[in-house]
Amino acid sequence: MNTKITFLGKEFANSIVTASGILGVTGATMVNNVKEKGVGGVTMKSVSVEPREGHPNPTITTGEHFMINAVGLSNAGVENSVKEIKYYKENCQAPLIASVFAGDIKEFGEVTKKISEASPDFIEVNISCPNVEDEFGKPFAADPQLATAVTKIVKENTDIKVIVKLSPNVENIGKIAQAVEAAGADAICAVNTFNGTLIDVRTREFVLHNKFGGVSGPAIKPMAVKAVYDISQAVKIPIIGTGGVTTGQDVLEMMLAGATLVGVGSGVHFGGGKDVFKNMMGEIKEIMEEEGIEDLMEMIGGVKSDD
Amino acid sequence: MKNNSQQPTILPIKKIVQETPAIKTYTFEHKLGAEPGQFVMLWIPRVDQKPISISRQTDSSFDLSVFKVGKATEALFDMKEGDKVGISGPYGRGFNIEPKKNIVLVGGGCGSAPLRMLGEEAEKAGCKVTFITGAQTSKDVLFKDALSDTCITTDDGSAGFKGFTTQKLAEILTENKDTDKVYTCGPEVMMKGVVDVCAKHKISCEISMERYMKCGFGICGQCAVDPLGICICKAGPVFSGEMAAKITEFGQYHRDKAGVKHEL
């Protein structure tokens, strides 16, 4: 039975990667995710040129079936993040996906150039964070032309393979996917979180300090799977599918919809904490055995359809 | 609290006691069910949400003793009895109490807060508890009278033993050879000193660490420590002396809310 995955020419021990913003602040945490928790690869928290403190707390909370966050893209800045990536690379072989964001097109080029010095295996471009609209306006992922422009400048500033992370808060995610594919993106990650909010009844206050945030967790899985399927029908480049994945079965479902790799974020909380990835892999192997699946790669885009 | 939900439970402040010029204790009538050493996330709407340790617990109430240190705690200090705050948790791994042992608690400043709860619980478990509570001057000492066997230390000698808690601990461990375990919470440099004193006397200890936290339940990775990469909010905040020795940043540096490293 083979559970290894080849994604853009690099080998992952399995199809699960941590999603950006989850256990990805320090190099040591990401090493821990691989060595102690058994994840196939890691995505670092998004990095900007300068350090950012993000929003005050509450930045992350959960309901029974969802998580909502407005961390506000806090990060230590690209210079410090290069050191964290270097620490990771010295201590771990599993592929690392760096994640970058910026407030304008030019800065996307700058942060990409600087993060490339750390030689991450891939660079994910976060054009879809919903939690900084007050500061930056609508995410770049909401507009095919802006998404194209960001993808182009990122590609011009690095030789590393580029993954563009898309927002589900758009009318036609397939069209945005086609735009970034045409602009040179090597892969797509989808989806980022859904716009949402949470109001406390007793105090009549918004719970998140930022008022609005991004919704993730089991509640969004059906919408995320549909978005991944729509993208897979629209483009030829590989997809990292993410959104509400909590179990091994969810991982396989996301792969059938078209994902080569599957990102897990709030699933770390909903799926049982530190053993979540091991549990998922156990379940995946069990299903593979029961269904006679020899190679996990077979699952990619394997949903049956007459179309 | 519902399964999986970390949404704050809204509670009115039942009682406020001014402990020292910079520390107040807030009592809430709510069955929290925490272990000593665990913490809650305290939400002050429109201001911030911070991890706070629990200084006392009964079957129907709990206390938070808070040191005024920044914007959130300043806002809390302006609040009155009856005002509402949000509580999430309890979170983290607390202190391990072994029944009927001779233990010493070493608290520095507001670090004495979780040790008071620990001391009370340990006494219920039949332990003989010696509590060292240290501060800069006599007016800053937290919980002078909370536990029966309490030693006060002050840096300036204005009350109790003149000197550091670590000096007093060394004195106690030299005199009382039957001490089984030491527990500490306070400034990290002090706790590092406690770990060293305990190592010298071959006595096991537990420490309680603090790092900048965002989620509080082990998802965001903001409070991860080097080189283990484990989250203080989930794997800690309490660690054994042996674990503390593996956390190389302990007593050396921490990361701020952006994730930038600063020396302690």
Side-chain angles (χ1 to χ4, degrees):
Chain A
M1 189 192 291
N2 176 44
T3 58
K4 291 194 186 94
I5 296 285
T6 305
F7 173 80
L8 296 176
K10 296 227 178 184
E11 190 173 273
F12 289 69
N14 59 60
S15 60
I16 309 170
V17 295
T18 52
S20 186
I22 303 298
L23 298 173
V25 174
T26 72
T29 324
M30 295 188 288
V31 173
N32 182 285
N33 293 342
V34 174
K35 292 194 172 168
E36 303 296 326
K37 300 193 180 84
V39 78
V42 293
T43 314
M44 199 174 180
K45 184 158 173 57
S46 298
V47 168
S48 52
V49 174
E50 295 298 329
R52 287 171 56 91
E53 292 187 345
H55 301 308
N57 275 348
T59 46
I60 309 171
T61 189
T62 73
E64 214 174 340
H65 304 294
F66 66 87
M67 182 172 288
I68 184 163
N69 88 83
V71 173
L73 293 168
S74 58
N75 75 92
V78 71
E79 225 166 274
N80 290 312
S81 301
V82 162
K83 290 180 204 155
E84 300 287 356
I85 294 174
K86 283 184 175 164
Y87 175 86
Y88 175 90
K89 301 292 282 181
E90 282 161 17
N91 290 281
C92 196
Q93 304 295 319
L96 176 140
I97 305 167
S99 173
V100 296
F101 81 96
D104 61 48
I105 305 276
K106 192 170 148 269
E107 210 180 298
F108 263 109
E110 192 183 339
V111 71
T112 299
K113 193 169 214 165
K114 286 188 172 156
I115 205 81
S116 298
E117 287 168 19
S119 303
D121 295 279
F122 304 98
I123 297 175
E124 185 171 281
V125 191
N126 181 1
I127 58 169
S128 47
C129 178
N131 300 325
V132 288
E133 277 193 22
D134 287 350
E135 197 176 338
F136 300 129
K138 285 265 175 234
F140 295 102
D143 180 330
Q145 281 170 333
L146 287 173
T148 297
V150 173
T151 307
K152 278 187 174 161
I153 194 148
V154 166
K155 286 292 291 178
E156 280 164 18
N157 279 279
T158 189
D159 296 325
I160 295 164
K161 294 268 169 57
V162 169
I163 305 157
V164 180
K165 185 158 183 179
L166 300 186
S167 168
N169 304 307
V170 295
E171 207 174 302
N172 187 338
I173 199 166
K175 272 196 179 156
I176 309 280
Q178 283 169 343
V180 300
E181 181 184 47
D186 299 291
I188 283 166
C189 178
V191 293
N192 208 317
T193 50
F194 287 77
N195 288 329
T197 192
L198 200 59
I199 299 167
D200 177 71
V201 171
R202 305 273 180 173
T203 56
R204 305 183 184 193
E205 298 276 2
F206 286 102
V207 177
L208 294 174
H209 190 91
N210 187 52
K211 290 186 185 173
F212 311 124
V215 182
S216 57
I220 72 159
K221 196 197 69 182
M223 291 155 338
V225 171
K226 167 77 160 54
V228 167
Y229 180 74
D230 288 348
I231 294 165
S232 77
Q233 300 304 296
V235 300
K236 292 198 169 60
I237 52 179
I239 304 164
I240 303 177
T242 180
V245 173
T246 304
T247 65
Q249 184 162 313
D250 294 344
V251 172
L252 295 175
E253 184 184 357
M254 201 56 111
M255 293 181 77
L256 287 174
T260 300
L261 293 173
V262 177
V264 175
S266 39
V268 173
H269 173 67
F270 290 100
K274 69 178 172 58
D275 291 328
V276 62
F277 305 118
K278 283 179 189 160
N279 293 346
M280 283 178 178
M281 281 318 295
E283 201 182 313
I284 287 169
K285 284 177 189 164
E286 213 173 273
I287 294 172
M288 285 176 74
E289 200 172 301
E290 282 168 14
E291 298 298 328
I293 302 158
E294 293 286 319
D295 188 341
L296 188 55
M297 296 277 292
E298 281 173 37
M299 300 299 281
I300 302 163
V303 65
K304 290 180 185 170
S305 165
D306 293 332
D307 300 342
Chain B
M1 235 163 273
K2 272 187 287 179
N3 182 34
N4 270 333
S5 177
Q6 314 300 323
Q7 230 167 294
T9 299
I10 306 303
L11 299 173
I13 300 166
K14 183 70 185 169
K15 193 175 148 201
I16 303 174
V17 173
Q18 182 99 40
E19 304 279 5
T20 75
I23 301 173
K24 283 186 185 179
T25 294
Y26 297 80
T27 301
F28 300 91
E29 276 185 347
H30 177 80
K31 186 180 164 65
L32 189 64
E35 305 279 328
Q38 284 192 299
F39 65 96
V40 296
M41 293 297 276
L42 170 71
W43 174 43
I44 304 150
R46 297 191 210 193
V47 181
D48 212 330
Q49 183 197 39
K50 294 285 178 193
I52 307 283
S53 58
I54 303 144
S55 56
R56 191 149 193 264
Q57 184 174 264
T58 70
D59 286 341
S60 60
S61 75
F62 67 95
D63 288 1
L64 304 177
S65 298
V66 180
F67 182 66
K68 190 159 94 170
V69 68
K71 211 176 145 192
T73 47
E74 276 165 23
L76 185 67
F77 266 54
D78 289 339
M79 294 182 101
K80 309 213 168 13
E81 287 169 1
D83 287 350
K84 289 172 181 170
V85 299
I87 300 286
S88 305
Y91 293 127
R93 283 185 58 244
F95 295 107
N96 296 297
I97 300 174
E98 292 164 58
K100 295 180 182 156
K101 299 283 183 186
N102 289 331
I103 63 172
V104 180
L105 316 182
V106 186
C110 204
S112 289
L115 298 181
R116 182 205 180 152
M117 177 173 164
L118 171 65
E120 289 185 347
E121 297 296 321
E123 280 181 350
K124 281 184 211 161
C127 292
K128 187 183 162 296
V129 180
T130 304
F131 178 35
I132 305 171
T133 181
Q136 286 178 326
T137 71
S138 67
K139 66 180 190 334
D140 305 313
V141 179
L142 181 62
F143 299 141
K144 284 176 197 171
D145 314 309
L147 298 170
S148 53
D149 183 8
T150 301
C151 310
I152 293 165
T153 73
T154 51
D155 297 356
D156 66 354
S158 52
F161 174 89
K162 185 182 184 209
F164 297 133
T165 54
T166 43
Q167 293 169 298
K168 185 68 194 173
L169 174 67
E171 203 180 284
I172 288 173
L173 294 184
T174 307
E175 280 170 21
N176 304 339
K177 299 289 181 200
D178 60 347
T179 303
D180 296 302
K181 195 160 180 177
V182 173
Y183 301 82
T184 184
C185 183
E188 211 160 295
V189 175
M190 180 203 88
M191 290 198 291
K192 181 96 176 146
V194 169
V195 171
D196 292 344
V197 170
C198 289
K200 201 176 149 200
H201 287 83
K202 297 192 172 61
I203 289 173
S204 68
C205 66
E206 292 187 11
I207 61 136
S208 178
M209 277 182 85
E210 187 173 34
R211 284 294 179 270
Y212 196 91
M213 286 181 193
K214 291 195 172 172
C215 69
F217 51 93
I219 187 107
C220 71
Q222 191 70 32
C223 65
V225 286
D226 294 337
L228 304 180
I230 52 175
C231 292
I232 293 294
C233 70
K234 193 100 175 174
V238 173
F239 293 103
S240 65
E242 295 82 57
M243 271 300 272
K246 290 180 192 164
I247 300 171
T248 50
E249 73 171 68
F250 174 63
Q252 302 295 320
Y253 64 88
H254 70 105
R255 286 179 175 84
D256 64 16
K257 61 179 103 170
V260 178
K261 286 185 198 173
H262 299 275
E263 276 179 35
L264 284 171

